[in-house]
Amino acid sequence: MTEAEAMATLVASGVPYGRREAALRAAGSARTLLDQTQAYAGLLGEPGLAALRRACRHGEELLERLSREGVRLIVRGGEGYPERLASIAQPPHVLFALGAKDLCDRFPIAVVGTRSASAYGLRQTRAIARELAGAGVCIISGLARGIDAAGHEGALDAQGRTIAVLGGALDRFYPEENRGLMHRILAAGGSVISEYPPGTRPTRYSFLRRNRIIAGLSLAVLVTEGPRRSGALRTAQDALEEGREVFALPGSVESEGSQLPHMLLAEGAHMATCARDILNALVIEPADEAGRPRAPVPEKDPAPGAGDAAPFAKREPVPKEARGQRLAVPANLGKREEAVCRALLAGESDFDALCEATGIDSGEMGALLSDMELDGLVTAVSGLVYAPGEAMRGP
């Protein structure tokens, strides 16, 4: 079994990310972990140990299925896995891919927004993506209906490259209406990827987790349309945490879809009314006849004006003095919210620990924490580490 195959088996076991990462660091490789599973039982935990043993028994079946369906494996640290993505807080251990296996594009830019897009949002998104792709940029999005689809279509209009990051497994495609678009992406030399093994159904949590990959693959994120409470906001926040630039398209003040872009602009995002605004800020020159951008993006010097932008919505560690404040569980909460708050009375906790402490399934926990963060009950400190929010802090 190769390292990539061993990693795919490990991920398919369902062992939580935190325990998986700890065991991998101790073992040094997925192959060693699978060969000497019992030696890492303390890091895997009893449920994780049992799950990994089950996965090993069915490993050959999984690998045969991947081969039969033409799914390629892109393992962290291996060929085709971008250093940019490997540097984020919780990089995927393996990506399941259709199409081109190499994801190390030189100039990748994410285009994200609402599923309920207006004609204006769709038109502008497609036009900007088309211009960006024509300049040699790889367009990254989530293949959802609305803005995502318009971004991919704009790249295809320019015969450019685009990467679709799914919120579920490759064999659990959603939405079905975009399956034809997926085939067009693959036919044009693009990639369709997922961190989820075959059979994994998409959930609200998996879509939120997917956003960190979209941001992590990209040099910058463009938000073209969306309400204030939107998954695109999480993508923008993830991008900022990883040091990426964020751009936003202005729209009508009467449109709900312009609420998120306008909020981002007010808090320091770059305005983008056309592709040239983005290319200039990132110092990308239009492509030459071979389709290659002519100028490199500076790796150390900030983009013009980037230093003036306020780090909007950036999640800073909770100050020590705030950590010392008296904590209390607010009244009139639902049972799940109350359980999470009680688990945080001792202070910060990571995602997996919260799931174990509360008994809440990971698929439900992700959506729950997202709502609780908006309500001020929890604060995302870094990666998937959470702290009590202002609503839990006494005077």
Side-chain angles (χ1 to χ4, degrees):
M1 184 178 288
T2 66
E3 177 65 13
E5 291 171 339
M7 192 73 83
T9 303
L10 173 60
V11 170
S13 72
V15 175
Y17 186 99
R19 289 189 177 278
R20 193 193 316 157
E21 177 70 7
L24 279 171
R25 288 181 181 275
S29 71
R31 292 178 65 183
T32 300
L33 181 56
L34 265 59
D35 288 341
Q36 304 173 25
T37 303
Q38 185 61 45
Y40 305 99
L43 295 171
L44 292 168
E46 285 302 321
L49 181 63
L52 186 52
R53 285 174 172 166
R54 284 195 301 271
C56 289
R57 289 196 295 270
H58 297 285
E60 187 173 336
E61 179 183 335
L62 168 68
L63 298 177
E64 288 178 355
R65 179 177 182 179
L66 294 175
S67 177
R68 184 171 62 251
E69 297 176 359
V71 177
R72 305 179 183 188
L73 301 175
I74 308 174
V75 67
R76 188 177 70 180
E79 180 182 358
Y81 196 105
E83 292 184 13
R84 190 178 295 110
L85 180 61
S87 69
I88 69 173
Q90 288 199 342
H93 289 121
V94 66
L95 291 168
F96 300 87
L98 293 174
K101 181 179 177 180
D102 190 344
L103 304 180
C104 300
D105 296 88
R106 192 178 180 193
F107 298 101
I109 293 177
V111 178
V112 298
T114 181
R115 291 170 171 80
S116 303
S118 68
Y120 165 81
L122 294 174
R123 183 173 64 253
Q124 293 298 322
T125 299
R126 188 163 182 168
I128 293 174
R130 180 170 58 247
E131 289 183 65
L132 288 172
V137 167
C138 174
I139 301 298
I140 299 175
S141 198
L143 202 53
R145 61 174 63 94
I147 295 300
D148 286 16
H152 292 304
E153 288 168 344
L156 295 175
D157 289 344
Q159 298 182 333
R161 177 165 151 76
T162 183
I163 298 174
V165 187
L166 302 187
L170 296 173
D171 65 331
R172 297 288 183 176
F173 187 81
Y174 179 86
E176 185 63 32
E177 67 198 62
N178 283 347
R179 186 174 292 277
L181 178 56
M182 179 187 74
H183 290 314
R184 289 173 56 203
I185 290 172
L186 296 175
S191 304
V192 179
I193 64 174
S194 171
E195 68 174 322
Y196 299 105
T200 306
R201 294 183 179 277
T203 65
R204 184 178 177 186
Y205 171 65
S206 68
F207 281 112
L208 289 174
R209 287 281 286 169
R210 178 270 306 274
N211 292 342
R212 84 189 195 287
I213 301 177
I214 293 177
L217 284 169
S218 307
L219 283 170
V221 171
L222 168 64
V223 179
T224 58
E225 197 171 51
R228 292 176 69 92
R229 192 163 180 163
S230 167
L233 172 58
R234 178 57 63 89
T235 309
Q237 291 173 327
D238 288 341
L240 277 173
E241 287 183 354
E242 302 301 338
R244 314 300 198 250
E245 297 294 336
V246 174
F247 295 82
L249 172 74
S252 170
V253 296
E254 298 177 346
S255 170
E256 182 183 13
S258 296
Q259 290 177 355
L260 177 57
H262 289 172
M263 182 184 77
L264 298 179
L265 289 169
E267 295 178 340
H270 299 278
M271 181 182 293
T273 60
C274 61
R276 174 48 58 189
D277 292 338
I278 300 171
L279 296 173
N280 286 344
L282 297 178
V283 199
I284 300 176
E285 290 295 327
D288 59 21
E289 293 182 359
R292 297 183 298 267
R294 290 196 292 264
V297 172
E299 295 184 358
K300 295 183 179 180
D301 296 329
D308 299 329
F312 62 88
K314 189 168 184 178
R315 301 168 186 158
E316 301 292 348
V318 178
K320 291 183 178 179
E321 57 272 21
R323 297 180 191 183
Q325 291 178 350
R326 186 175 57 207
L327 299 175
V329 178
N332 301 320
L333 294 179
K335 290 184 178 180
R336 297 187 308 164
E337 288 83 355
E338 181 178 347
V340 172
C341 288
R342 290 194 180 283
L344 290 174
L345 286 176
E348 296 176 5
S349 179
D350 66 25
F351 182 88
D352 292 339
L354 284 174
C355 290
E356 291 187 11
T358 62
I360 298 174
D361 178 79
S362 62
E364 296 180 5
M365 180 64 81
L368 177 63
L369 287 172
S370 178
D371 289 340
M372 291 180 68
E373 187 176 357
L374 291 170
D375 293 335
L377 292 167
V378 302
T379 297
V381 179
S382 63
L384 288 181
V385 176
Y386 292 84
E390 288 302 317
M392 286 186 63
R393 300 186 185 282

